[in-house]
Amino acid sequence: MEGCDFLKKFFSILWRVLLAFLIYTLVGMLIPFIGSKSVSEEFKNDLATKNFYSESLSGERVKIVEDNDDAFKVRVQMIESANERIIVSTYKYRRDWSGLNFVSALYEASKRGVSVEFIVDGYTSATLTHDLKELKVLNTLPNFEVKVYNKINLLTPWKHNGRQHDKYVIIDNQSYVVGGRNITNSSLSNEYGDNKYDRDVFVYNSDLSNASSVDELVAYHENKWNSKAASLISKRSSYRDKEKVLTNLSERYDEFKAEYPSYFENTDFEAITTRVNKVSILTNPTHIYKKEPHIFYALSELMNNATSSIKVHSPYFIMDKQMYEVFNQIGERTLTSDLEATLFTNSAGNSANPFGSLELRINKDKLLNTNFTLYELESGYSYHSKSLTIDDELAIIGSFNFDMRSTYIAAEVMVVVHSEVVAAELNEYMEDYEQNNSVKYTNTGEHVPEGVIKQTLSFWDHLLHLLILIFVWWWGRSLF
């Protein structure tokens, strides 16, 4: 009997401790991020939309990267061209075919004396430590550094939500690629991935004598890299299987090069790019707490100045009152002017994000009430691109989703390109998605093109949505 009483008392105390810790964690995660935040007057005064335009051509050149295989090819070509410095930032890194081949190319670059800086978000390091095996070994090399952005610490839940969602590779302070693609098969391989649709923009500066957007992106990176949020993986002097890991990477590189020789050919970056008027960088603050919505504010100002057309593509729209007000104001102008405004996203059944899917089911009327024309993709493959075009002059591509996490919480990057040629190309890509495998919605009804089949939610999708609605939606929507 005494043993039973002891166990009852033990489990009673344990249950209370676990419940208290759960409440502590949930409250700690939520409280710092409640409510909207506005940009400062200083930021407003410093932002002038005219600065995103130029009447003359610059030395910067641009290529839109639409295909997943091409995205990997461009990254490898960039790494192969590096002479001094490689910078990599990613939200997700996976130790799969794409990830290991990517890292093997970085290792080969480091062997020829190139310095490598690699920063990955803390969720990867916390939940998938196995994926960092090679990176931990490479971090022991003198010219290869690996950092983690905002490591997860269960005792400080108020820091959990501050994430690095940007994705970029920078080479020799001369070129970079920015977009929605992580270093995973799903982002960089048609053969080994899951056919997720995404988009990057590659930028090459052909005139090193003048300042460029590369300098802006490098400054953003160095601010984040040197911040308290970025911590270096421990530089252990050795690992038990260090030599084996390095040998395997070298062998993998040789096999990869033999199988995909075109990835490793000398590349004339000027020949594959288009000269543009101007390229600008939009970023959010790099600290881990609630942020001023720098990117959203800048995008809203650019959209407010549109006179003929706006296209906004996002995997999902999870917005608060402040964000909806921007779209409502713009949408009202479509009723009294020639402005055409379009939103594009995954349908509820096509979305890979259960929160985004549920949001569309609940608040679809809010999107339609903005008076934007809404297209929902029904292809069966999730759309992950974050892109805008404005007035057939600006093409905007990056990592920013139109949700509250990207707006107020995450470190993000968007690239603004002033070029009628590039904007026309991006419009063509975007319209291809809108006109094929998509359903069109307006306030007057819907149009389902012939051959388009709406994706349906499974029983398990409905169950997951119900659980989210009951246990998470009321307190965590702003964190999605």
Side-chain angles (χ1 to χ4, degrees), residues 103-264:
V103 168
S104 75
L106 292 179
Y107 175 45
E108 287 301 311
S110 73
K111 286 163 63 175
R112 61 176 188 265
V114 178
S115 70
V116 180
E117 298 168 21
F118 192 111
I119 184 166
V120 62
D121 184 71
Y123 269 143
T124 293
S125 65
T127 60
L128 297 162
T129 54
H130 173 70
D131 278 338
L132 299 184
K133 178 180 178 181
E134 284 74 17
L135 289 172
K136 288 180 178 179
V137 171
L138 291 172
N139 191 57
T140 66
L141 304 179
N143 59 332
F144 204 119
E145 286 192 314
V146 181
K147 285 191 175 184
V148 173
Y149 180 89
N150 192 19
K151 285 183 180 179
I152 299 297
N153 183 340
L154 296 179
L155 298 180
T156 55
W158 52 90
K159 296 182 179 180
H160 287 359
N161 280 302
R163 306 268 51 97
Q164 167 190 280
H165 191 246
D166 55 38
K167 299 103 175 168
Y168 54 79
V169 179
I170 311 172
I171 303 296
D172 290 343
N173 288 33
Q174 184 172 19
S175 66
Y176 63 84
V177 64
V178 166
R181 290 184 171 99
N182 293 291
I183 304 175
T184 65
N185 279 343
S186 63
S187 293
L188 298 176
S189 173
N190 293 329
E191 181 178 358
Y192 298 101
D194 53 9
N195 292 321
K196 180 168 63 177
Y197 304 127
D198 219 322
R199 182 174 293 122
D200 295 324
V201 58
F202 170 70
V203 179
Y204 177 77
N205 182 23
S206 61
D207 180 11
L208 296 179
S209 63
N210 290 312
S212 71
S213 64
V214 187
D215 302 314
E216 296 177 47
L217 186 58
V218 169
Y220 164 81
H221 166 77
E222 291 180 344
N223 182 49
K224 183 177 64 174
W225 180 265
N226 295 318
S227 70
K228 293 180 180 179
S231 55
L232 190 67
I233 291 180
S234 176
K235 271 192 173 294
R236 290 168 53 181
S237 59
S238 65
Y239 281 83
R240 183 179 58 184
D241 55 351
K242 175 180 177 178
E243 294 307 317
K244 181 180 178 181
V245 169
L246 296 178
T247 299
N248 288 344
L249 283 176
S250 293
E251 292 176 350
R252 173 174 281 275
Y253 175 83
D254 292 338
E255 293 172 1
F256 182 38
K257 187 174 182 178
E259 188 173 358
Y260 296 87
S262 66
Y263 286 30
F264 298 86

Side-chain angles (χ1 to χ4, degrees), residues 21-39:
F21 184 74
L22 177 61
I23 294 172
Y24 166 77
T25 300
L26 293 177
V27 171
M29 289 175 62
L30 178 63
I31 295 299
F33 300 98
I34 288 178
S36 301
K37 194 168 185 178
S38 300
V39 296

Side-chain angles (χ1 to χ4, degrees), residues 228-442:
K228 293 180 180 179
S231 55
L232 190 67
I233 291 180
S234 176
K235 271 192 173 294
R236 290 168 53 181
S237 59
S238 65
Y239 281 83
R240 183 179 58 184
D241 55 351
K242 175 180 177 178
E243 294 307 317
K244 181 180 178 181
V245 169
L246 296 178
T247 299
N248 288 344
L249 283 176
S250 293
E251 292 176 350
R252 173 174 281 275
Y253 175 83
D254 292 338
E255 293 172 1
F256 182 38
K257 187 174 182 178
E259 188 173 358
Y260 296 87
S262 66
Y263 286 30
F264 298 86
E265 296 171 353
N266 289 332
T267 305
D268 183 351
F269 291 119
E270 288 197 26
I272 65 171
T273 52
T274 300
R275 192 178 179 189
V276 301
N277 297 65
K278 189 166 186 178
V279 184
S280 306
I281 300 293
L282 296 177
T283 63
N284 275 348
T286 58
H287 62 76
I288 62 175
Y289 301 105
K290 188 117 183 180
K291 298 174 173 58
E292 291 186 9
H294 287 180
I295 292 180
F296 181 79
Y297 179 81
L299 294 177
S300 67
E301 288 296 289
L302 291 171
M303 289 191 290
N304 276 321
N305 283 340
T307 58
S308 60
S309 65
I310 300 170
K311 287 184 181 293
V312 182
H313 282 211
S314 180
Y316 36 83
F317 291 87
I318 306 177
M319 303 192 291
D320 63 3
K321 182 179 179 181
Q322 179 175 253
M323 298 171 74
Y324 269 112
E325 285 177 354
V326 169
F327 283 93
N328 288 333
Q329 290 170 5
I330 296 170
E332 287 178 5
R333 291 169 49 211
T334 66
L335 303 176
T336 58
S337 70
D338 294 329
L339 179 65
E340 296 181 358
T342 300
L343 303 178
F344 178 90
T345 191
N346 292 290
S347 71
N350 201 74
S351 179
N353 184 319
F355 303 106
S357 175
L358 178 58
E359 172 75 17
L360 186 62
R361 293 179 67 191
I362 292 174
N363 287 321
K364 184 172 182 174
D365 285 345
K366 284 187 177 182
L367 288 178
L368 293 176
N369 288 338
T370 63
N371 293 306
F372 277 66
T373 298
L374 173 65
Y375 288 90
E376 293 182 10
L377 184 64
E378 299 282 7
S379 68
Y381 297 109
S382 179
Y383 186 80
H384 194 248
S385 170
K386 311 89 166 52
S387 309
L388 301 87
T389 56
I390 298 175
D391 283 348
D392 300 324
E393 289 188 276
L394 295 183
I396 307 173
I397 300 171
S399 64
F400 179 90
N401 296 311
F402 277 83
D403 65 356
M404 288 178 277
R405 171 167 286 280
S406 285
T407 301
Y408 303 111
I409 301 175
E412 305 278 8
V413 174
M414 293 292 275
V415 179
V416 182
V417 179
H418 177 209
S419 166
E420 291 184 1
V421 175
V422 175
E425 182 184 2
L426 181 54
N427 266 327
E428 186 176 342
Y429 288 135
M430 297 168 85
E431 287 171 3
D432 184 57
Y433 282 106
E434 292 166 8
Q435 303 304 321
N436 296 290
N437 295 315
S438 297
V439 175
K440 178 181 179 180
Y441 294 89
T442 65

